[in-house]
Amino acid sequence: PPPRANAPTVPEGSPSIDERLTADEHRVEALEEQNTETKNDLSALKKLRISGYVQGRYQYQQDLDDSGAGGYSRFGVRRGRLKATYTTEWSQYMLQIDAVPAGVTLKDAEATLFVPGTKQQLSVTLGQMKWPFGYEGPQSSSDREFPERSRVVRNMLPSERDRGAKVNGRYKFLRLAVGLFDGNGTDSGTTQDNDKEKDLVAHLGFDLKWLAGGISGWYGHDLGRLPTDTFRHAYDRTRIGADLQAYFDVVPLGGTSIKGEFIAGRTYGAANNATHLDVPAHGWYLLLVQNIGLNDAVAIRYDTFDPHNGQTDLAAGEVPGADNAVDTVGFVVQHHFGENLKVSAVYEIPMTHAVAQALDPHDNLFTLQMQARF
């Protein structure tokens, strides 16, 4: 019979219905593959975290004495950190560099294995990392209230970091970190250890949310030679420490925290990479922080460090040297401009212990710091 007048006509050479259905199925499969690739890319991106911060500063230190000697007024970039962390179920990669006017340096380079079956409660890390000692040493400089660590930490843990291996473990509220390190730190001026001696560093702590703390220990040796030595000798490099942090709300203004730490040891580093071989020293600090609302805080810190370096009497009028004990009182006012910008104004008053008629140098320090982070 002749076709109806209103029936659609199919041009010659047009694909059949089966061919069109097959083409549509291929397009759907292609879209599904693209969707799977996108999901995989997003999953990988979720495992990667890029972070960092910059600390710009202005500092003013008064003249050391009435003659106008010493003192300074300067701008600077204290830290310029860029950190990448990639975490999977069994492993973690972490690399952090510091880019400042003096150059670019490696701060952290960690390869971590999460022990299977422990739900990331037990891990082993190899590379360059912070010593697991105390509280202020491992604490990030971006979180600290004061621009620099206390004097005792700067002397006992001069670079905070070293190359070695570390085991981290957590069980309920308990925390344990044990590491074996070269011992000289990353500021020793060498990129490789210059002896076979290794240092054992450990921290056993607890975390109850409102109260945390722990005890630390360090045992190792430092090869060196004193003026009375004919050959190099392995001198004990030891530390013991205790730290405590309490967080509570007792003032309607906001949260309050009190933090303290004590460290004592023998053979320690000092300024200009100098090492005080076989010299005992100790120090401590106490920090009180009061938050005011969500964006402001004030803090006061008292810290003391006694080098115990065989100090002798000084001539009348002489300025005490680096071997004198120093107490420091510091005050800080902070304001947060949102989550990414923090401005701190800090005034510190070092009080150098003098003997005989020696004079305490006029070295009060004002620091204005702006920190931006992401």
Side-chain angles (χ1 to χ4, degrees):
R4 291 177 297 175
N6 59 351
T9 59
V10 179
E12 291 186 9
S14 297
S16 66
I17 293 177
D18 290 341
E19 291 174 335
R20 291 199 296 269
L21 289 175
T22 301
D24 290 340
E25 289 175 355
H26 289 323
R27 283 194 289 269
V28 171
E29 291 175 357
L31 289 174
E32 289 178 348
E33 291 179 359
Q34 292 178 3
N35 187 39
T36 300
E37 292 177 359
T38 302
K39 287 183 178 180
N40 291 336
D41 291 341
L42 290 175
S43 177
L45 287 175
K46 286 181 180 179
K47 299 174 184 177
L48 177 64
R49 182 176 180 233
I50 306 295
S51 61
Y53 61 94
V54 170
Q55 293 177 344
R57 284 185 185 177
Y58 168 75
Q59 288 187 307
Y60 176 82
Q61 185 183 65
Q62 67 180 138
D63 296 335
L64 297 179
D65 53 44
D66 296 335
S67 67
Y72 54 80
S73 171
R74 63 191 180 200
F75 291 96
V77 178
R78 178 60 178 91
R79 298 176 178 91
R81 302 290 173 84
L82 184 61
K83 178 179 176 181
T85 306
Y86 190 87
T87 306
T88 67
E89 182 181 359
W90 283 14
S91 66
Q92 184 180 80
Y93 155 99
M94 196 269 273
L95 182 72
Q96 182 175 205
I97 61 172
D98 189 32
V100 294
V104 179
T105 58
L106 175 68
K107 303 305 290 186
D108 301 286
E110 302 180 9
T112 298
L113 167 68
F114 297 114
V115 177
T118 63
K119 298 181 179 179
Q120 297 188 349
Q121 301 294 299
L122 182 64
S123 64
V124 180
T125 300
L126 192 66
Q128 181 170 302
M129 68 204 79
K130 289 184 176 180
W131 283 309
F133 190 100
Y135 171 77
E136 198 179 56
Q139 184 188 27
S140 171
S141 296
S142 64
D143 297 330
R144 199 174 50 249
E145 291 81 11
F146 278 77
E148 297 298 335
R149 291 174 171 84
S150 57
R151 194 177 296 266
V152 61
V153 174
R154 296 200 304 267
N155 280 272
M156 292 298 195
L157 311 173
S159 56
E160 303 110 40
R161 295 168 169 86
D162 204 351
R163 287 170 285 273
K166 179 180 66 173
V167 176
N168 263 317
R170 294 184 295 166
Y171 179 73
K172 296 183 178 179
F173 62 90
L174 295 176
R175 306 287 185 266
L176 175 64
V178 182
L180 192 65
F181 298 90
D182 285 342
N184 294 325
T186 58
D187 288 349
S188 61
T190 62
T191 57
Q192 293 182 336
D193 195 15
N194 57 3
D195 58 58
K196 295 181 180 180
E197 303 291 338
K198 293 293 175 281
D199 290 21
L200 183 66
V201 184
H203 181 264
L204 175 62
F206 66 93
D207 188 352
L208 302 175
K209 304 304 180 184
W210 71 274
L211 184 67
I215 56 175
S216 301
W218 180 320
Y219 180 76
H221 295 90
D222 188 0
L223 283 178
R225 187 171 63 184
L226 294 174
T228 55
D229 296 331
T230 304
F231 304 101
R232 288 200 308 168
H233 179 76
Y235 288 97
D236 287 346
R237 178 164 49 204
T238 58
R239 311 274 189 275
I240 57 171
D243 62 274
L244 191 67
Q245 307 88 47
Y247 309 89
F248 44 87
D249 291 310
V250 296
V251 179
L253 294 175
T256 304
S257 61
I258 298 177
K259 306 175 184 180
E261 187 169 0
F262 171 85
I263 303 175
R266 178 179 292 272
T267 303
Y268 61 93
N272 301 322
N273 297 326
T275 299
H276 292 204
L277 286 172
D278 203 33
V279 176
H282 76 275
W284 57 270
Y285 69 84
L286 187 63
L287 171 67
L288 172 64
V289 183
Q290 176 61 58
N291 294 320
I292 304 174
L294 299 176
N295 297 320
D296 298 287
V298 294
I300 179 173
R301 183 178 73 184
Y302 182 90
D303 76 75
T304 179
F305 178 65
D306 186 352
H308 269 252
N309 197 33
Q311 173 183 309
T312 57
D313 290 342
L314 302 177
E318 187 176 344
V319 176
D323 296 333
N324 295 72
V326 180
D327 302 331
T328 306
V329 178
F331 307 89
V332 60
V333 178
Q334 285 184 351
H335 179 74
H336 293 258
F337 292 89
E339 298 180 355
N340 305 101
L341 186 65
K342 176 174 68 175
V343 177
S344 305
V346 186
Y347 193 73
E348 295 175 279
I349 307 172
M351 297 168 287
T352 303
H353 291 201
V355 293
Q357 301 299 317
L359 302 178
D360 178 15
H362 303 162
D363 50 357
N364 295 354
L365 179 64
F366 171 76
T367 303
L368 179 66
Q369 177 169 285
M370 182 177 293
Q371 174 183 288
R373 64 186 298 180
F374 69 97

